[in-house]
Structure formats: structure tokens, C-alpha cells
Amino acid sequence: KTNVYEKKKINFIINENETWLDLGGNIGIFSLLCLSKKANVITYEPEPENFNLLKQNIETNFPESNYKLIQEGVGISTDNVQLYLCKGDYNKYRHTVYKKRGRESITIKIKSITDILQEHKIDCIKMDIEGAEIDILEFLKPDDYKNAGIKKMVFEYSFDIDKSIPRFLKIINKLKEYFDVVNYTGVKENDLEYNYFPCAKIVYCMQNLV
């Protein structure tokens, strides 16, 4: 409803014929948005209940569209890890690979971001993976985005996993080495920690395409 992964003010929008990599597909809301705009999408979602709902939502609404659904997570290496589940009366969206006291866990497969970028031909990335984005953003180099041909990236940064603003800014400065536009709001750059609600921020990265 609020189009949090688009920001028209800076012309960050989903365009027809783009191919988006949706990391953390959940039940398919972003993937459905891409397909509704006649973009293509490759979606990674590891949690079985979410993945089944994702599959049903895509197949019901856009059966003839160009999409690929993969029941895996993403990390800096290919491995099997524990996913700590956020359980409740409805399907939750805050499952995480970071250990949470009192939560049940399941074993999931994660695939390295390097392999994913090499395997698929994509233009853009959306990443909402409940803290795992921090390691990935620190791991990727400017040449990784360049070699993959990435024109746009939008991600949710989870300050509840690490409140450090200097760590966040170091990642932002690294992204600026490749992207012409790196846009975010509401982070006080002179503070050491982010202690506000909501505990996550959306960051928009874009190349100026002339």
C-alpha cells in the first residue's frame, strides 16, 4: 500500500522489462508488484510456509509472467543454517538466521550471493532478509555490482541486529563507490547507535542512467 520499495521522489521505480532479484520474497508482495509492472523477477525465500504462499500468489495472479521461485536463503557462503521462526496467529515476516531466545528453528539452505549473481542475469536487487543483509553488504565489492550489471538496489537495513551507526555509514560509503545515488533518511550520522522505532531503514541505491 505504501510502496516502500519505490521512491518516486528520486525516480526509484520498477520499470517494465527489468529483471529483479527478490531476496527475502516472503509471501510474494514485492514479486507481485514487479510482475504487475511487467518486470521479471527471481525470488529467493527459504521458509516453507512463506514459500508455499509465495508460489500460490504468483501462480494465481501472474501464471504467464516471467518469474523463477527458489526455496533457499542467501548469505556470503553456501551452507545449511538455522532459521529462527517468528511464530504467531498469522504468517510472520521476521524470521531470521540470527539466534533469538525462545524461538523454534528449522534448517534451511542458503546460497552465496556471489553464486546467485553469477547464475542469474539481473538488473536490480531488492533485499529484505532480517539482518543477513549486513554481512552481504560488507562482503560485496563495487566490482561485484559492476560485473553483475546492477542498476538499482533497495534494501532494508536492520538496526535491531546491530545498532551501530558507524558500521551502517561504512557500508553506505562503500555503496557510493559504485552507485551514483544512495538515498536514506532518518539516521543521525553523529550518533553512535540507532535506538528509534521502527528499527529498520530502507536504502535506495541507483545508477544515474542517461
Side-chain angles (χ1 to χ4, degrees):
K1 288 182 178 179
T2 57
N3 282 26
V4 295
Y5 294 116
E6 293 187 293
K7 195 168 188 178
K8 294 181 180 178
K9 187 185 297 184
I10 62 170
N11 200 33
F12 191 101
I13 57 176
I14 299 164
N15 292 311
E16 185 175 347
N17 295 324
E18 289 177 337
T19 298
W20 280 82
L21 179 64
D22 183 0
L23 300 176
N26 196 253
I27 65 170
I29 301 301
F30 180 79
S31 294
L32 290 166
L33 178 62
C34 288
L35 295 175
S36 74
K37 297 195 170 193
K38 298 183 179 178
N40 312 311
V41 68
I42 300 163
T43 308
Y44 281 75
E45 169 56 47
E47 198 274 323
E49 184 179 354
N50 280 343
F51 185 82
N52 288 334
L53 289 167
L54 161 70
K55 190 170 184 288
Q56 290 177 46
N57 281 329
I58 299 295
E59 290 177 350
T60 299
N61 290 283
F62 296 99
E64 305 301 323
S65 297
N66 190 357
Y67 63 86
K68 186 172 185 180
L69 311 178
I70 301 162
Q71 192 176 345
E72 294 176 352
V74 58
I76 61 173
S77 61
T78 297
D79 202 353
N80 291 321
V81 301
Q82 294 302 112
L83 182 71
Y84 295 87
L85 303 178
C86 186
K87 290 289 190 178
D89 295 331
Y90 62 93
N91 191 272
K92 295 295 187 79
Y93 56 92
R94 301 226 68 192
H95 308 313
T96 179
V97 295
Y98 288 91
K99 189 172 183 177
K100 296 283 187 176
R101 183 179 298 176
R103 285 194 185 184
E104 296 177 17
S105 68
I106 60 172
T107 301
I108 62 165
K109 180 180 178 180
I110 60 170
K111 192 165 189 176
S112 79
I113 184 63
T114 304
D115 288 347
I116 290 173
L117 293 179
Q118 290 175 349
E119 183 176 339
H120 306 292
K121 183 172 175 53
I122 59 172
D123 306 302
C124 315
I125 300 171
K126 167 260 181 183
M127 182 161 44
D128 185 348
I129 49 178
E130 304 305 326
E133 75 283 348
I134 298 174
D135 288 340
I136 289 172
L137 292 166
E138 289 179 330
F139 175 76
L140 288 174
K141 302 177 180 63
D143 278 350
D144 294 321
Y145 301 108
K146 180 179 179 181
N147 294 336
I150 306 303
K151 301 178 181 68
K152 301 174 194 169
M153 179 169 69
V154 57
F155 62 89
E156 183 183 75
Y157 191 93
S158 303
F159 279 106
D160 57 340
I161 298 300
D162 188 338
K163 296 180 180 181
S164 170
I165 291 178
R167 187 180 187 184
F168 169 76
L169 294 177
K170 188 174 181 181
I171 288 171
I172 292 297
N173 289 331
K174 188 177 181 183
L175 291 169
K176 287 179 178 178
E177 294 178 29
Y178 174 72
F179 292 103
D180 299 312
V181 175
V182 180
N183 180 278
Y184 60 93
T185 58
V187 177
K188 297 180 180 180
E189 298 185 355
N190 292 326
D191 288 355
L192 292 178
E193 290 189 347
Y194 186 90
N195 292 297
Y196 305 97
F197 182 86
C199 55
K201 283 293 175 182
I202 303 293
V203 180
Y204 307 86
C205 306
M206 181 170 54
Q207 294 234 297
N208 281 328
L209 304 176
V210 180

